Amino acid sequence: MLKQQTVGVVVREIAKSYPDTEAYVYPEHKIRKTYEQFNQETDDLAKAFMGMGIAKGEHVAIWSDNKREWLLSQFATGKMGAVLVTVNTNYQEKELGYLLNQSDATTLILGEEFKGTSYIDVINAVCPEVKNSEKGNIQSEHLPFFKRVIVMSENKYPGIYTWSEFEAHASKITDQELDERLNMLHVDDVINIQYTSGTTGFPKGVMLTHMNIVNNAQIIGDFMKLTPLDRLCIPVPFFHCFGCVLGTLAAVTHGTTMVLLEQFDPKRVLQAVQDEKCTGLHGVPTMFIAELNYPDYKQFDTSSLRTGIMAGSPCPIEVMKKVIEDMGAKEITICYGQTESSPVITQTQSDDAIEKRVATVGKPHPHVEVKIIDPATNEDAPIGTPGELCTRGYHIMKGYYKNEEGTHAAIDSEGWLHTGDIAIIDSEGYIEITGRIKDMVIRGGENVYPRELEEFLYQHPSIQDVQVVGVPDPKYGEELMAWIIAKEGVTISAEEIRSYCKGKISHHKIPRYIEFTESYPMTASGKIQKYLLREMSKEKIPTA
């Protein structure tokens, strides 16, 4: 049965059932709060939003790393019905201006800075009127909806509310008024807008409802067997579905304790897992690779780990094996999906055979339909044949905000979301993702899936990470280029890599070009940006 509950009702019910269970812990700030306290904090903040005059359905943008204020704002807006618009922490002036304008945000909550970027300077550049405005009454010609800015700090800036000034608005609203607002909310109301990374064209605002994210989070946690005895370490960014659906909301739907880090750092993650005796750990593959390769990794005790999720980009089989064997997370799961599907479509289970758990993304969630089609004909592809994965069900977004054309391109007339991912389904229903349609390389008429070559090269003892892309070639149309990060202290040559490949994989799959690097271009959520790697690759290949 799907839950018919809004985000706010979920918090209230969990707090009633597990009042004394720790809801969240910030080890770096020595903050610990029970579910009863968390429920009260989010009630108070929901009243502050209402006291400011923020209406049901109004758009509130939030821009910071994983601060406590972000967490509380997520669930407070869930109680009073404002739509939380999540902002990528890496955004700069142009991107923030686009998002505030396109989303019709009335309010921006922000941290002071992130990795050397002053968010205060950026908002003043995007909206110069802020400095000269009365707080809460910004008048901007190019941002007609924009009214107020709140900073997660007590430092004073012209035209910007401090956090305590914001909180003080709660006194204007009674408990009864909050309850009335909460009871007005409907499960099909949009509660979150997440902007896709915009690897092609402008980012699109994905509209997600209570129904979408509450049920997705519930099922994710069920697959992980989460309970109030679990302690889940969440170092992935909140602004991404991985952080705020697979992380915070999956924990809250199960009364699980959230162990939170403001930013990812392999040492801090390992320390938190050890000190807080975390039973679960989330991360994209690059995070787990960084943890496993941390110089003092063996000095940390990760034996409390049981579960967690590796997701966000294809999970290398060898890395999964190490997380299970070395870290001890024997029940770790892989999730696959995208923001447009709330986000999880398929997930592995702890009792799946080990080869299925490391080499596939599992089976579709309950209440979720999946089909694999031939992208050229839209006909169903036979079992074992690659095709585009399409999905349908409760988890499909309401659409892209103010972008009907984009919505119709993504979701067909029968309600199927076309993911753009190439997948294979086996006779038992397990799904393997072999790449993006646009990542597939066609070399001399042969389709080559970079994922297959990456998995093969991961087995080389000197390779820490590898990404494969296609580059233009006058003879074959496309050739393969491998970008390799070698393990620390190891020297390896391109010739050694090619020799390793010979006789083990088809000749046409051996990369013609091999480059060594120390890092990849990545999104703030830890996804490798292959389109940027392709651009970098074109600059490396010799021109005729």
Side-chain angles (χ1 to χ4, degrees):
M1 282 278 292
L2 290 168
K3 283 172 100 88
Q4 301 290 323
Q5 288 182 338
T6 61
V7 169
V9 170
V10 169
V11 178
R12 292 262 176 106
E13 297 217 340
I14 287 293
K16 219 179 280 175
S17 302
Y18 309 106
D20 301 325
T21 299
E22 279 187 334
Y24 68 90
V25 177
Y26 273 94
E28 55 200 310
H29 298 303
K30 299 185 169 48
I31 296 172
R32 295 177 183 277
K33 298 288 180 179
T34 65
Y35 268 101
E36 186 171 30
Q37 291 170 316
F38 178 61
N39 184 47
Q40 188 59 57
E41 287 179 321
T42 49
D43 268 8
D44 291 343
L45 209 62
K47 289 196 281 189
F49 281 116
M50 290 172 66
M52 276 191 151
I54 294 173
K56 172 182 180 286
E58 200 166 311
H59 294 182
V60 174
I62 188 161
W63 191 30
S64 89
D65 52 10
N66 292 4
K67 289 187 168 35
R68 173 174 164 266
E69 293 87 350
W70 206 116
L71 174 76
L72 298 180
S73 296
Q74 176 187 354
F75 290 92
T77 51
K79 285 179 170 179
M80 54 67 65
V83 177
L84 197 69
V85 181
T86 55
V87 186
N88 187 316
T89 47
N90 280 350
Y91 271 11
Q92 298 292 320
E93 184 182 330
K94 188 178 171 203
E95 297 149 314
L96 180 70
Y98 170 80
L99 179 143
L100 291 177
N101 187 30
Q102 206 279 334
S103 70
D104 299 329
T106 67
T107 307
L108 174 65
I109 302 172
L110 44 60
E112 289 179 290
E113 61 85 38
F114 178 75
K115 294 187 176 176
T117 295
S118 165
Y119 283 0
I120 303 294
D121 288 351
V122 175
I123 187 58
N124 281 323
V126 167
C127 185
E129 296 89 347
V130 170
K131 280 182 180 172
N132 303 313
S133 294
E134 178 194 341
K135 291 176 187 180
N137 192 27
I138 296 163
Q139 310 270 321
S140 169
E141 209 171 295
H142 65 287
L143 294 173
F145 288 86
F146 197 52
K147 291 283 168 270
R148 56 188 83 80
V149 182
I150 303 161
V151 68
M152 299 174 180
S153 149
E154 292 311 305
N155 292 326
K156 296 189 183 300
Y157 302 97
I160 297 176
Y161 289 107
T162 65
W163 191 254
S164 60
E165 286 171 343
F166 164 44
E167 289 180 314
H169 285 78
S171 62
K172 301 174 187 173
I173 303 295
T174 65
D175 290 347
Q176 187 185 343
E177 286 171 314
L178 173 59
D179 289 347
E180 284 168 4
R181 176 72 71 89
L182 188 144
N183 293 331
M184 276 170 59
L185 308 185
H186 191 273
V187 291
D188 290 327
D189 291 339
V190 173
I191 195 63
N192 185 204
I193 296 180
Q194 303 221 6
Y195 276 78
T196 57
S197 51
T199 53
T200 53
F202 289 106
K204 297 188 281 286
V206 177
M207 296 188 288
L208 300 176
T209 65
H210 295 272
M211 185 79 177
N212 289 150
I213 62 174
V214 165
N215 284 289
N216 208 250
Q218 179 71 44
I219 296 166
I220 289 161
D222 290 350
F223 271 48
M224 293 171 68
K225 300 180 179 154
L226 289 182
T227 74
L229 299 176
D230 280 301
R231 301 174 72 78
L232 178 62
C233 183
I234 307 173
V236 291
F238 288 166
F239 75 79
H240 188 270
C241 272
F242 199 168
C244 67
V245 181
L246 288 77
T248 59
L249 193 52
V252 170
T253 50
H254 293 78
T256 294
T257 301
M258 300 171 268
V259 177
L260 303 170
L261 298 170
E262 289 189 355
Q263 292 178 27
F264 173 74
D265 174 84
K267 182 182 179 182
R268 282 187 191 163
V269 171
L270 293 166
Q271 193 78 53
V273 168
Q274 173 182 283
D275 295 352
E276 294 294 329
K277 298 195 166 32
C278 294
T279 57
L281 174 61
H282 282 1
V284 295
T286 49
M287 289 178 176
F288 282 105
I289 290 167
E291 290 150 14
L292 289 161
N293 287 280
Y294 183 70
D296 294 331
Y297 166 70
K298 295 260 186 260
Q299 292 177 25
F300 291 94
D301 179 5
T302 61
S303 61
S304 59
L305 285 178
R306 171 185 71 78
T307 185
I309 293 173
M310 195 186 297
S313 57
C315 304
I317 291 168
E318 294 304 311
V319 178
M320 268 297 281
K321 286 179 180 168
K322 282 183 182 164
V323 171
I324 291 168
E325 289 158 18
D326 296 358
M327 282 186 144
K330 303 230 179 304
E331 295 179 25
I332 192 160
T333 72
I334 287 178
C335 290
Y336 158 75
Q338 53 188 213
T339 310
E340 289 87 343
S341 57
S342 307
V344 175
I345 301 168
T346 72
Q347 189 171 353
T348 57
Q349 297 206 56
S350 54
D351 54 0
D352 286 336
I354 185 73
E355 60 272 17
K356 299 293 187 189
R357 290 183 54 219
V358 299
T360 78
V361 292
K363 295 179 179 178
H365 267 182
H367 312 287
V368 164
E369 292 180 82
V370 164
K371 66 177 180 178
I372 313 292
I373 62 165
D374 179 333
T377 64
N378 278 350
E379 297 296 319
D380 286 6
I383 282 174
T385 306
E388 183 183 17
L389 187 144
C390 300
T391 185
R392 183 169 67 177
Y394 79 89
H395 59 312
I396 302 305
M397 65 172 177
K398 213 158 196 179
Y400 296 120
Y401 185 63
K402 293 197 312 190
N403 186 345
E404 276 189 45
E405 189 183 335
T407 302
H408 291 314
I411 303 170
D412 67 25
S413 58
E414 294 180 343
W416 290 97
L417 173 72
H418 291 246
T419 64
D421 288 323
I422 299 169
I424 298 170
I425 191 163
D426 69 17
S427 56
E428 296 174 78
Y430 288 92
I431 291 169
E432 184 185 348
I433 304 296
T434 58
R436 296 285 292 161
I437 288 174
K438 62 187 178 208
D439 287 343
M440 187 177 75
V441 178
I442 304 174
R443 183 194 179 277
E446 297 266 13
N447 290 354
V448 182
Y449 299 104
R451 173 81 194 274
E452 182 189 354
L453 180 53
E454 288 161 1
E455 290 291 2
F456 170 74
L457 290 173
Y458 269 118
Q459 295 170 45
H460 191 288
S462 300
I463 291 176
Q464 177 175 311
D465 206 350
V466 55
Q467 295 294 319
V468 174
V469 294
V471 291
D473 183 78
K475 183 176 179 183
Y476 293 104
E478 282 186 288
E479 273 286 8
L480 294 163
M481 179 179 277
W483 288 82
I484 290 169
I485 298 177
K487 287 191 174 162
E488 202 170 335
V490 172
T491 308
I492 186 170
S493 70
E495 267 322 301
E496 284 177 71
I497 300 290
R498 289 194 189 94
S499 301
Y500 177 76
C501 294
K502 277 176 188 157
K504 295 193 183 111
I505 56 171
S506 304
H507 172 73
H508 71 275
K509 294 176 185 172
I510 297 174
R512 174 152 175 209
Y513 306 105
I514 294 171
E515 288 288 331
F516 294 92
T517 185
E518 292 183 357
S519 63
Y520 302 119
M522 287 169 55
T523 66
S525 54
K527 285 187 184 178
I528 291 160
Q529 294 172 301
K530 282 215 165 175
Y531 76 103
L532 286 181
L533 262 187
R534 280 194 288 271
E535 293 306 312
M536 288 161 55
S537 302
K538 286 176 194 170
E539 292 168 19
K540 293 280 185 184
I541 56 174
T543 49

